[in-house]
Amino acid sequence: MRQVIFAAALAVLAGCSTTPLSVRREIRTTLDGYRQALDGKAFDRLEPLLSDEIRVDGMTDELSRAGLRAGMQWPPARIENVQILKISGASNSPDARVALYTARGCFVMRFGFDSAGKIRSIDEAPLWNPRGTVLKGDFKSPFVGSKGLMFVEAMVNGRTGYLLLDTGSSDLLLNPKYFSADTRAGMPGIASTVHGLKSAPRRAFVHELKWGNLVANDIRGQLHELSQMESPGISPLLGALGFEQLRNCAVAFDWKSRTVEVSARGRAAGARNPPPRARVGFSYFLHAPVLEAVIGGCAHPMLLDTGSQMNVLPESDPLGAHFRRADANTKISDGGETGDRAYPLGLVDEMLIGGIAFRDMPLAIFSVPYLAGNGILGSPALQAGRVEIDYPRRTVSFW
């Protein structure tokens, strides 16, 4: 019965189209080449099919190409057939919803094409949108602070434990110590960490996630090793909440009271006494808010990452006498793996954000791969006072 309903759904999506036959043929030829490249796990055969700029799941061209080269599109089983379900958009930049069939099942993708018929974008496109995350009401939650990071108590699939608050993660992370991989068909993907790319991360299915009044149903989380963060006071460490769970909320962090407030409308946007000392608009790099930090008169773009224990600037950024290097260096960890190389660690005499001076801020000199020269604004800035990220309004407020 399930197979009959599924086939009917595909038939509805594959209805009539006004797309010129020549465009449909061009798309079919490109998709046939795509399938052959994937089945052969051959990036050299895939690359000629890509547009001058390619975006996979909204990632930058640099990260998308590196991910494709690393195998983020290599399917777990051979693709037996490709079916075009629907073509939409202008003839010079059409989008196609496509079903890819393997012996184990079917998954649906959305491809964008340029005027030459080459692939300009690839995104997951499930037939039914996941229920996602719902905020059922404003709430305040205590957090446990450990090594400069914030951990909240939550429940995932009926198990109570801790989740790291990590705005640097694009989506939910799950600790493989407590969750098993979902074996259903789908593209494996990649993870981009401080150490570079990790290919084919596994995913686990979440029936229900609940933290305060924030509830998510029927979503998938990416399995990621977090063993270095777990401790007797933070156990079981189930995973980390990322941008996808917080994107429709305003989230305020207060290290003094060890609390985090989550609301649909940020406290900074309404009446509050006292008002914030500064409210700064932000842009996005991928999923992360980008703020401008000024050091010695020079502006540095930095990604606000609550899951980072340290502020980080690329090795190419000149700091001169404003950076006082410590005697010891530091190694960089992604939560489960520590790199071999040690990087300079020290203090910046003054960092200005929104006109607010942060003095003697800890800083590591390290170029995170694929961040396009952006630095990271981590926990030391959050601990200096109350900070609110209002995602819907794209503002960060400091008290």
Side-chain angles (χ1 to χ4, degrees):
M1 180 59 70
R2 288 184 179 178
Q3 292 179 338
V4 173
I5 295 172
F6 188 65
L10 293 184
V12 170
L13 287 172
C16 297
S17 172
T18 58
T19 306
L21 184 59
S22 60
V23 174
R24 294 184 66 85
R25 286 174 175 167
E26 200 169 51
I27 289 175
R28 166 55 66 182
T29 298
T30 301
L31 289 173
D32 286 341
Y34 170 84
R35 178 183 62 81
Q36 293 167 12
L38 264 59
D39 284 343
K41 293 181 171 55
F43 180 72
D44 59 335
R45 296 171 65 180
L46 179 61
E47 191 169 29
L49 305 175
L50 305 179
S51 183
D52 291 340
E53 182 173 301
I54 176 70
R55 286 184 175 268
V56 181
D57 290 329
M59 295 188 299
T60 63
D61 176 78
E62 179 190 27
L63 189 52
S64 296
R65 288 184 188 276
L68 291 171
R69 186 177 290 108
M72 68 186 294
Q73 291 277 297
W74 303 156
R78 184 176 181 273
I79 298 175
E80 305 288 343
N81 190 27
V82 174
Q83 179 186 7
I84 300 175
L85 304 177
K86 182 180 180 180
I87 298 178
S88 59
S91 297
N92 62 349
S93 58
D95 292 302
R97 197 176 176 94
V98 178
L100 294 91
Y101 297 89
T102 71
R104 297 170 56 185
C106 167
F107 49 98
V108 181
M109 309 288 288
R110 181 183 291 108
F111 292 81
F113 298 88
D114 64 14
S115 57
K118 293 188 176 183
I119 301 170
R120 58 176 167 77
S121 63
I122 307 173
D123 298 281
E124 285 191 290
L127 286 173
W128 294 274
N129 291 326
R131 294 169 63 182
T133 305
V134 176
L135 180 62
K136 295 186 175 182
D138 299 356
F139 70 98
K140 180 186 287 189
S141 170
F143 69 77
V144 176
S146 176
K147 299 179 181 178
L149 300 179
M150 296 173 285
F151 299 85
V152 295
E153 194 168 19
M155 181 180 293
V156 182
N157 287 350
R159 180 195 290 266
T160 299
Y162 290 92
L163 294 173
L164 167 69
L165 291 178
D166 186 6
T167 61
S169 174
S170 61
D171 208 340
L172 178 68
L173 300 181
L174 295 172
N175 192 341
K177 181 177 179 180
Y178 304 107
F179 298 93
S180 300
D182 186 354
T183 58
R184 287 175 289 186
M187 288 297 189
I190 59 164
S192 177
T193 76
V194 293
H195 302 310
L197 296 181
K198 291 184 177 181
S199 61
R202 299 164 296 159
R203 296 181 181 182
F205 186 75
V206 174
H207 298 287
E208 183 181 60
L209 180 154
K210 186 173 183 181
W211 169 45
N213 290 326
L214 194 74
V215 179
N217 294 102
D218 301 333
I219 62 173
R220 287 190 298 172
Q222 182 173 292
L223 296 181
H224 181 78
E225 180 60 52
L226 296 167
S227 58
Q228 291 186 1
M229 293 185 178
E230 191 165 28
S231 67
I234 309 168
S235 182
L237 178 54
L238 302 180
L241 286 167
F243 167 74
E244 195 61 36
Q245 288 72 56
L246 303 173
R247 63 185 302 169
N248 296 318
C249 305
V251 189
F253 312 96
D254 192 328
W255 269 86
K256 184 177 181 180
S257 64
R258 292 292 199 275
T259 58
V260 56
E261 295 179 46
V262 182
S263 62
R265 178 178 174 84
R267 297 285 300 274
R272 183 176 176 85
N273 188 23
R277 292 189 293 159
R279 185 180 302 156
V280 183
F282 68 78
S283 58
Y284 278 109
F285 179 81
L286 299 175
H287 58 277
V290 181
L291 300 179
E292 184 178 86
V294 178
I295 302 173
C298 295
H300 305 266
M302 302 185 77
L303 312 184
L304 184 54
D305 181 2
T306 62
S308 176
Q309 295 172 297
M310 183 59 59
N311 301 313
V312 178
L313 278 179
E315 295 163 292
S316 59
D317 284 23
L319 297 176
H322 297 284
F323 177 70
R324 303 194 306 276
R325 183 166 177 170
D327 292 336
N329 292 339
T330 185
K331 292 187 177 181
I332 307 295
S333 168
D334 64 2
E337 177 184 346
T338 301
D340 296 329
R341 182 180 166 189
Y343 295 90
L345 179 67
L347 298 174
V348 170
D349 57 4
E350 182 179 81
M351 179 186 295
L352 298 175
I353 302 175
I356 298 176
F358 294 84
R359 304 188 190 282
D360 294 329
M361 288 285 279
L363 183 76
I365 306 299
F366 171 67
S367 297
V368 181
Y370 307 110
L371 286 195
N374 290 289
I376 294 176
L377 190 65
S379 179
L382 297 174
Q383 293 185 57
R386 178 185 169 91
V387 179
E388 179 186 81
I389 306 174
D390 191 329
Y391 285 104
R393 293 172 176 78
R394 296 195 179 192
T395 60
V396 178
S397 299
F398 298 89
W399 278 265

